[in-house]
Amino acid sequence: AQTVTQSQPEMSVQEAETVTLSCTYDTSENNYYLFWYKQPPSRQMILVIRQEAYKQQNATENRFSVNFQKAAKSFSLKISDSQLGDTAMYFCAFMKHGSGNTGKLIFGQGTTLQVKP
Amino acid sequence: DTAVSQTPKYLVTQMGNDKSIKCEQNLGHDTMYWYKQDSKKFLKIMFSYNNKELIINETVPNRFSPKSPDKAHLNLHINSLELGDSAVYFCASSQDPRLAKNIQYFGAGTRLSVL
């Protein structure tokens, strides 16, 4: 069974600074996807970034980038130039890849990030 | 236009009642999901349907029954509501995960409070 662990329940960062959220996972699968979702106070779940395990290159989306270490089963999210609107709960998630994929997302416990002015 | 819409946004009800939450997506996706977010914010999948066929049925009490009249709709019916059912329920949709990009789009959630 796959598990996803986010060991930082809460973090804070000053506006315009950089912060890194940690995520580790456990799986025996070789092909899979990893995701970071953001849940602001509005409750809406928003996809931040997605990584395919077979790709060595780390995914980036504007100010958001990941550090994907497949051997270490680590998938951290770096937010650069933090903005007040980044204040939210961030969830790391895992999904199997391939013909047997049911689309089941397995989430970590979440990290609450507060960006301070 | 909202891509994945759930109604109602808030639902307050008494123990023992039966209630339904509706979900509709206008993205043309084949697959829809229900997730439950508990009071500790932990998210866990409950069900998924692909083209009206049940694909995922996690360990969920029989009081929960999903219904998919067509691939754009996935409703969740809950019988004999219990206090422990209080949570936020999220609907999501995606293209067929076996074939295409595995990006799920979520609705805004329904906060269910059982008194």
Side-chain angles (χ1 to χ4, degrees), chain A residues 1-15:
Chain A
Q2 290 81 21
T3 58
V4 178
T5 303
Q6 294 177 248
S7 57
Q8 305 151 315
E10 295 180 353
M11 294 190 72
S12 64
V13 63
Q14 290 296 132
E15 200 176 1

Side-chain angles (χ1 to χ4, degrees), chain A residues 23-30 32 34 51-56 58 67-76:
Chain A
C23 173
T24 58
Y25 59 94
D26 190 24
T27 184
S28 57
E29 303 284 333
N30 192 43
Y32 47 87
L34 295 163
Q51 176 81 40
E52 292 159 274
Y54 68 86
K55 288 188 178 177
Q56 291 187 333
N58 289 324
N67 183 3
F68 172 49
Q69 302 288 329
K70 191 173 183 180
K73 295 181 182 170
S74 168
F75 183 61
S76 60

Side-chain angles (χ1 to χ4, degrees), chain B residues 75-94:
Chain B
N75 304 323
L76 184 64
H77 189 76
I78 315 170
N79 289 329
S80 303
L81 278 155
E82 299 178 359
L83 293 176
D85 297 332
S86 295
V88 179
Y89 292 85
F90 284 96
C91 177
S93 75
S94 74

Side-chain angles (χ1 to χ4, degrees), chain B residues 66-79:
Chain B
K67 286 185 172 51
S68 182
D70 55 62
K71 71 176 191 176
H73 296 84
L74 181 61
N75 304 323
L76 184 64
H77 189 76
I78 315 170
N79 289 329

Side-chain angles (χ1 to χ4, degrees), chain B residues 1-75:
Chain B
D1 268 353
T2 304
V4 182
S5 59
Q6 298 178 225
T7 53
K9 281 191 166 45
Y10 299 94
L11 186 52
V12 181
T13 188
Q14 300 287 331
M15 272 177 56
N17 284 349
D18 303 339
K19 290 292 178 187
S20 292
I21 306 171
K22 295 186 176 181
C23 181
E24 176 182 4
Q25 55 94 5
N26 63 6
L27 297 167
H29 288 161
D30 296 310
T31 308
M32 297 184 72
Y33 311 82
W34 278 109
Y35 289 86
K36 178 180 180 180
Q37 187 173 40
D38 63 22
S39 58
K40 294 183 180 177
K41 302 285 191 175
F42 187 63
L43 269 157
K44 189 173 180 189
I45 193 162
M46 300 171 69
F47 303 103
S48 84
Y49 270 74
N50 181 273
N51 237 337
K52 301 196 294 175
E53 179 187 354
L54 181 65
I55 301 297
I56 297 174
N57 186 356
E58 291 289 295
T59 309
V60 176
N62 290 339
R63 299 181 294 103
F64 289 78
S65 54
K67 286 185 172 51
S68 182
D70 55 62
K71 71 176 191 176
H73 296 84
L74 181 61
N75 304 323

Side-chain angles (χ1 to χ4, degrees), chain A residues 29-67:
Chain A
E29 303 284 333
N30 192 43
N31 288 328
Y32 47 87
Y33 299 97
L34 295 163
F35 304 83
W36 279 97
Y37 275 89
K38 168 185 176 182
Q39 186 177 39
S42 67
R43 204 170 68 200
Q44 180 75 52
M45 292 287 290
I46 302 163
L47 178 66
V48 175
I49 201 163
R50 169 179 173 265
Q51 176 81 40
E52 292 159 274
Y54 68 86
K55 288 188 178 177
Q56 291 187 333
Q57 187 173 5
N58 289 324
T60 61
E61 285 287 342
N62 301 314
R63 297 182 297 107
F64 299 88
S65 61
V66 298
N67 183 3

